[in-house]
Amino acid sequence: GCALVGGETALLPDFYQEGDFDLAGVAAGVVVRNRINDGRAIQTGDAVIGLASSGIHSNGYSLVRKVVFDAAKLKVTDPVPELGQTVGEALLTPTRLYVKPVRRLLDAHGGAIHGLANITGGGIPDNVGRILPPDKRVHISRSAWEVPPVFAWLQRCGNVADAEMFRVFNMGVGFVVICAPPAADAIVKHFTGEDIAAWKIGEVRAGEVGVEVAGL
C-alpha cells in the first residue's frame, strides 16, 4: 500500500568507498489525465524512431570500469586514437537530455505519438519492452543507424558479446518515440531541426510482448 514516488537503489559495486554516501534528488509532478502517454495507444504497424545519444550516457559504468580499467588496464589519461580523445574524455562525455525537444514534439504532433522510452539501464530491449501493451512486439533493425565508435571500442576492450552490449548500453540510441506511420518523416524532421539525429529504426508487430533486435 505504499506509493514509490522517487529515489532509487543504485547498483554500484566497486564504486563506493568507506565513508562515501549517495545523494539523490527527486521531483514530483502532475500529468493531465487525458495527456498521459503510457504506451497503451501503441498499435501494430507503428513506426519506431530512435534519437541519437551523445555517448554512453549515465548507465553501464560498472561494466565500463571492468572492461577499460581491469581488462584493458588503461588509465584515464591514456589516449584512444580511434576516438580522438583520452579515456577520461570518452567516459565523461555529458549525457544528452531530450525533455525540451520531446515536449515540443508532443505540442506539435501529440496525437500521433503512441509511446516514449528513455534508453537507460537495460538498453533498447528493456526500456522499450516495458511500455508495450499486450500482444505487441517491436522489431529493431541494427543497420538503421551507425553505432558510435565509443561502443565498438568498449566491446573490443572487454571482448563483450553483442547481446550484452545491447542489454547494458544505449548503443547510440538515447530515446525512442513510437508513432503512427504517417507521422514518422515529420518526427525525424522535427528532431533534425532540434540538432538531434533521428532515424526510423524499427516497427511494431503483433506477437509476444518484447523487443527483437535483428541479429542478436
Side-chain angles (χ1 to χ4, degrees), residues 37 100 103 112 120 140 154 160 176 198:
N37 191 314
K100 292 180 180 180
R103 288 187 64 180
T120 57
I140 300 292
L154 287 171
V160 183
V176 163

Side-chain angles (χ1 to χ4, degrees), residues 7 23 31 39 46 70 76 86 90 108 110 114 120 124 130 135 137 150 164 168 181 188-189 205 216:
L23 177 65
V31 180
D46 278 354
D70 295 345
V76 293
T86 65
H114 296 166
T120 57
I124 296 172
R130 66 169 57 102
D135 303 318
R137 187 170 185 82
V150 66
E164 180 70 358
V168 174
V188 169
K189 185 177 180 180
R205 301 178 185 176
L216 292 186

Side-chain angles (χ1 to χ4, degrees), residues 1 3 11 16 26 28 38 67 69 72 81 93-94 99 104 116 182 199 212:
L11 300 176
Y16 292 121
V26 176
D38 58 5
V67 301
F69 302 124
T93 301
V99 176
R104 287 190 282 267
L116 302 166
W199 320 273
E212 180 179 321

Side-chain angles (χ1 to χ4, degrees), residues 119-211:
I119 309 305
T120 57
I124 296 172
D126 282 3
N127 289 284
V128 174
R130 66 169 57 102
I131 68 168
L132 296 176
D135 303 318
K136 297 294 180 284
R137 187 170 185 82
V138 163
H139 288 247
I140 300 292
S141 171
R142 291 176 61 182
S143 62
W145 77 99
E146 186 174 342
V147 175
V150 66
F151 296 106
W153 169 65
L154 287 171
Q155 188 169 20
R156 288 196 303 272
C157 281
N159 193 27
V160 183
D162 285 351
E164 180 70 358
M165 292 293 295
F166 273 85
R167 188 190 68 81
V168 174
F169 300 114
N170 65 65
M171 299 303 284
V173 175
F175 199 94
V176 163
V177 176
I178 298 180
C179 67
D185 289 343
I187 289 171
V188 169
K189 185 177 180 180
H190 168 87
F191 286 109
T192 301
E194 296 275 1
D195 202 26
I196 299 174
W199 320 273
K200 181 181 176 183
I201 63 171
E203 65 178 2
V204 179
R205 301 178 185 176
E208 181 182 357
V209 172
V211 176

